[in-house]
Amino acid sequence: MVVRILVESIRRRAKSRLAALLSIALGAGAASGLVMLLLGVGDRVAEELRRNDANIEIVAGSGDLDERALPGLRLDTNRWRNQLRFLIPELRFEKAGYAVSGRELDPRWTLEGRPGVVAGVSLGLPPGATLDLGRPLIVTGVVSTGGEEDHRVILPLKLAQELAGRPGKLSRILVSAVVTPDTDEFKRFQKGAGKFSDAERERMMCVPFAVNVAKDYGDALEAEARVIREVAENEGALLAKIRGVVGILAIAAIVAACLSVLAAMTASVGDRRKEIGLLKALGATNGTVAGLFIGEAVLLAVAGSLVGYGIGLASAKAMSAELFGAPVPGSAVVYIVTLAAALGIAALGTAWPLRRVAALQPQQVLHEV
């Protein structure tokens, strides 16, 4: 009986209820679409950042690293193997008064000439110059990085190992891994501030924070690993800003939808004054009458969540495909978020009109008839 009353009420006021449903759908859809982007694109944003800078440095405790140990970072026994994006093995040494690095070139560096025997711009060795590092080498290019490489000679790794007489040996490994920015809770955990249970400690160690990932990479190679803090903190700050902007947009969409539902439900209370007064005169309590409005809001919220999820999924897929070349997948969890947002919008939009419902006096309303 109640369901029939609710359906009939919605049917008789189809235009206003359709407006309310669309408001809920658009508000919840915008929120769910942004959540899907945040969940699905967060790692992609991190991957884009990881294409540029290494955020972990692995060095030997003493002596050199063995190049043959590198596959250990990708073994199944390394729980962070899927976080690894790229690594740059490097051998450093000094010879004939030059600081030499054996490694691949960074594509962001400014190179005049061609790869091969590359001199830092500060060395003053133009392409074609002869460089004696135990044997004569012809400089093929000049590199400018704005960093320490401007003062070094950069060679292919195998050539550097040969000149240094250290075949298969490395001084360090630069690693780029997708990590989770440090949270305030994790920072307190690192500092030993506060008490943490065994379960909380286990949870902290099972999140790919940069320190956790670096430690496991170092253990895999029986070496020391450290986080390159400047890179990791800059990445964390950028991702935090992205999340902040997404959160503000989601809240703004929900607030706008709440205001639209509020206007529609307030107008509905005004239109139904006589009906409400008659129900109260026949013995209906404020709770009973409010229940009818709440029931309408719930039905609109459920329908709006379905429409909103479709809108959010379509928009998130389109934006992700345009920005990153791959659409984000749908998710049952995100639908639950959409439903929660729709119910929240309906509840907030209905709360004030329900106060007017409770304030209506049947004798006053019926006297107006």
Side-chain angles (χ1 to χ4, degrees):
M1 181 68 177
V2 174
V3 174
R4 191 172 71 178
I5 292 174
L6 293 176
V7 172
E8 185 64 19
S9 175
I10 292 173
R11 187 186 67 81
R12 288 176 178 273
R13 299 166 182 84
K15 291 184 178 180
S16 63
R17 294 302 177 266
L18 179 60
L21 187 148
L22 289 177
S23 296
I24 293 173
L26 291 175
S32 66
L34 291 169
V35 168
M36 277 186 273
L37 274 178
L38 190 61
L39 294 177
V41 175
D43 284 346
R44 290 188 175 96
V45 171
E47 287 180 13
E48 290 294 324
L49 294 173
R50 292 278 54 77
R51 291 181 183 180
N52 296 326
D53 294 302
N55 53 355
I56 295 172
E57 180 185 39
I58 302 175
V59 298
S62 61
D64 293 327
L65 295 168
D66 193 331
E67 191 175 10
R68 292 173 298 179
L70 288 180
L73 294 177
R74 300 187 184 276
L75 292 178
D76 291 343
T77 53
N78 187 343
R79 60 177 169 175
W80 306 125
R81 62 189 180 280
N82 292 327
Q83 308 300 116
L84 183 63
R85 289 300 169 262
F86 69 77
L87 53 86
I88 302 174
E90 181 178 2
L91 177 65
R92 292 184 160 199
F93 61 95
E94 292 188 5
K95 193 157 190 177
Y98 292 102
V100 182
S101 290
R103 57 162 291 172
E104 65 182 53
L105 299 180
D106 190 314
R108 295 172 300 155
W109 293 347
T110 301
L111 177 64
E112 178 187 345
R114 57 185 177 81
V117 179
V118 177
V121 65
S122 298
L123 298 179
L125 296 171
T130 300
L131 179 64
D132 189 356
L133 293 178
R135 74 185 196 195
L137 300 172
I138 304 299
V139 176
T140 61
V142 176
V143 69
S144 175
T145 70
E148 60 177 341
E149 290 80 13
D150 289 354
H151 305 278
R152 306 184 72 88
V153 176
I154 302 172
L155 309 175
L157 178 58
K158 295 300 182 186
L159 176 57
Q161 290 171 335
E162 181 183 341
L163 292 174
R166 292 151 66 183
K169 301 301 181 181
L170 304 170
S171 302
R172 67 173 184 169
I173 304 167
L174 295 173
V175 179
S176 175
V178 176
V179 298
T180 299
D182 291 353
T183 61
D184 291 338
E185 184 183 20
F186 184 69
K187 290 176 182 177
R188 291 195 302 272
F189 172 73
Q190 281 188 292
K191 294 177 180 178
K195 295 182 178 180
F196 291 85
S197 66
D198 292 341
E200 289 172 329
R201 291 176 182 276
E202 181 67 21
R203 177 171 58 84
M204 289 295 175
M205 299 304 295
C206 290
V207 177
F209 295 119
V211 172
N212 294 341
V213 175
K215 181 181 182 303
D216 281 14
Y217 285 173
D219 292 345
L221 300 182
E222 298 181 353
E224 297 178 2
R226 70 176 185 89
V227 178
I228 303 175
R229 278 293 168 192
E230 182 179 359
V231 175
E233 289 174 1
N234 288 342
E235 176 186 336
L238 178 57
L239 290 175
K241 289 179 181 178
I242 292 173
R243 291 191 181 99
V245 170
V246 169
I248 290 171
L249 291 175
I251 292 172
I254 290 174
V255 169
C258 286
L259 293 175
S260 297
V261 174
L262 173 62
M265 297 304 283
T266 301
S268 176
V269 171
D271 292 341
R272 299 169 68 180
R273 283 171 55 85
K274 297 176 183 178
E275 177 184 340
I276 295 169
L278 181 59
L279 286 172
K280 286 189 173 184
L282 293 174
T285 64
N286 283 331
T288 302
V289 178
L292 294 176
F293 280 88
I294 292 172
E296 283 187 29
V298 170
L299 287 178
L300 292 173
V302 172
S305 69
L306 294 171
V307 177
Y309 179 73
I311 293 173
L313 181 60
S315 59
K317 282 181 176 292
M319 292 176 67
S320 178
E322 180 66 24
L323 292 172
F324 300 99
V328 295
S331 168
V333 174
V334 176
Y335 174 69
I336 294 174
V337 172
T338 309
L339 178 59
L343 290 171
I345 291 169
L348 292 173
T350 309
W352 179 255
L354 288 181
R355 291 172 61 90
R356 294 189 60 189
V357 169
L360 285 176
Q361 298 299 321
Q363 61 271 23
Q364 179 183 356
V365 175
L366 295 178
H367 183 72
E368 297 172 358
V369 177

